[in-house]
C-alpha cells in the first residue's frame, strides 16, 4: 500500500511539474500581433486645397497593413483628400478608364498638384496610366498595383490596386498623408 501511495504522490508531483513547464512555455511563446480594427471600408476625406505640390509617393509594409505615403512638404497637417473604393478607375477631367490590377481599387485624391503651380513644371513625375515612379509593390500582402491617374486643378489622383475590399485608414501627419490598408478584416495578424 505504501508503494502505491508513493507512486501516486510521484505521479501527482510530476504532473504538477509538467503543468508548470507548459505554463512557462506558453508565457515565453510570442503572442500573435494584435492588429487594429474598426477602420472600415467606407469613403474618407476632408476638404482642403493647396498650391503646395506633391513631391513623392512611397510604399511600405507593416505587420498588419500595407502603407502608401504622400509627401507634401509645407502642406502642414490639414492636407485635403478623398479615399474610397471604386468599381473602375477613371482619370480626372478626361474620364478615361485606367486599368488597375487587384481584387479591388482604392482611389486616392490628394489636394496637392504634382506640378509647380507657378511655373507648370512637373514636381512629382507621375504619368497618366503608368505605375507610380519608384513604387514597387510586388510581394506586398495587400497592395497589388499602383497607377497615376492625373493631376488636375490642384488635385493629384492615384489608383491603388489591393487584394480585396479591405478596411483602411487615412492619417494626417505634418507634411504628409498616409493611407494604410489592412491585410485582413480580423483583429489578429
Amino acid at each position: 500500500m505504501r508503494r502505491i501511495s508513493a507512486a501516486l504522490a510521484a505521479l501527482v508531483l510530476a504532473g504538477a511539474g509538467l503543468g508548470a513547464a507548459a505554463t512557462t512555455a506558453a508565457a515565453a511563446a510570442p503572442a500573435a500581433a494584435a492588429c487594429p480594427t474598426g477602420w472600415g471600408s467606407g469613403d474618407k476625406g476632408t476638404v482642403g486645397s493647396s498650391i503646395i505640390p506633391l513631391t513623392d509617393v512611397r510604399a511600405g509594409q507593416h505587420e498588419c497593413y500595407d502603407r502608401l505615403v504622400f509627401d507634401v512638404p509645407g502642406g502642414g497637417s490639414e492636407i485635403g483628400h478623398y479615399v474610397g473604393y471604386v468599381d473602375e478607375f477613371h482619370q480626372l477631367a478626361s474620364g478615361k478608364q485606367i486599368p488597375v490590377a487587384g481584387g479591388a481599387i482604392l482611389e486616392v485624391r490628394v489636394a496637392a498638384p504634382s506640378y509647380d503651380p507657378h511655373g507648370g513644371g512637373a514636381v512629382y513625375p507621375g504619368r497618366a496610366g503608368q505605375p507610380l515612379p519608384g513604387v514597387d509593390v510586388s510581394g506586398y500582402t495587400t497592395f497589388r498595383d499602383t497607377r497615376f491617374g492625373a493631376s488636375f486643378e490642384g488635385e493629384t489622383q492615384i489608383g491603388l490596386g489591393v487584394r480585396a475590399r479591405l478596411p483602411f485608414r487615412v492619417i494626417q501627419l505634418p507634411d504628409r498623408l498616409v493611407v494604410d490598408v489592412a491585410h485582413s478584416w480580423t483583429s489578429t495578424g
Side-chain angles (χ1 to χ4, degrees):
M1 190 69 165
R2 276 189 169 163
R3 283 189 174 160
I4 293 175
S5 295
L8 283 174
L11 284 173
V12 168
L13 289 174
L18 286 175
T23 302
T24 302
C35 295
T37 59
W39 292 356
S41 62
D43 297 351
K44 296 165 181 58
T46 61
V47 176
S49 62
S50 172
I51 60 166
I52 308 292
L54 171 74
T55 60
D56 196 19
V57 180
R58 305 175 276 126
Q61 300 179 67
H62 295 268
E63 189 170 4
C64 299
Y65 52 87
D66 290 348
R67 170 171 281 181
L68 203 59
V69 179
F70 298 82
D71 291 321
V72 186
S77 58
E78 298 292 327
I79 301 167
H81 64 277
Y82 161 82
V83 183
Y85 282 102
V86 295
D87 293 330
E88 296 178 332
F89 184 58
H90 292 273
Q91 184 181 40
L92 285 172
S94 76
K96 177 183 174 187
Q97 182 181 352
I98 298 173
V100 181
I105 303 167
L106 200 55
E107 180 177 10
V108 181
R109 295 183 185 186
V110 180
S114 67
Y115 52 85
D116 176 356
H118 302 294
V123 176
Y124 177 73
R127 294 185 53 206
Q130 298 299 308
L132 299 180
V135 177
D136 181 6
V137 296
S138 58
Y140 277 50
T141 303
T142 298
F143 291 171
R144 295 294 182 260
D145 192 13
T146 63
R147 297 291 159 165
F148 188 84
S151 193
F152 181 71
E153 294 185 350
E155 185 174 65
T156 298
Q157 175 196 37
I158 306 293
L160 177 61
V162 295
R163 182 173 48 80
R165 190 179 178 114
L166 293 162
F168 67 93
R169 69 178 173 183
V170 179
I171 303 170
Q172 291 268 351
L173 297 172
D175 302 333
R176 70 183 51 100
L177 185 76
V178 176
V179 177
D180 294 332
V181 183
H183 292 166
S184 69
W185 279 95
T186 61
S187 62
T188 59

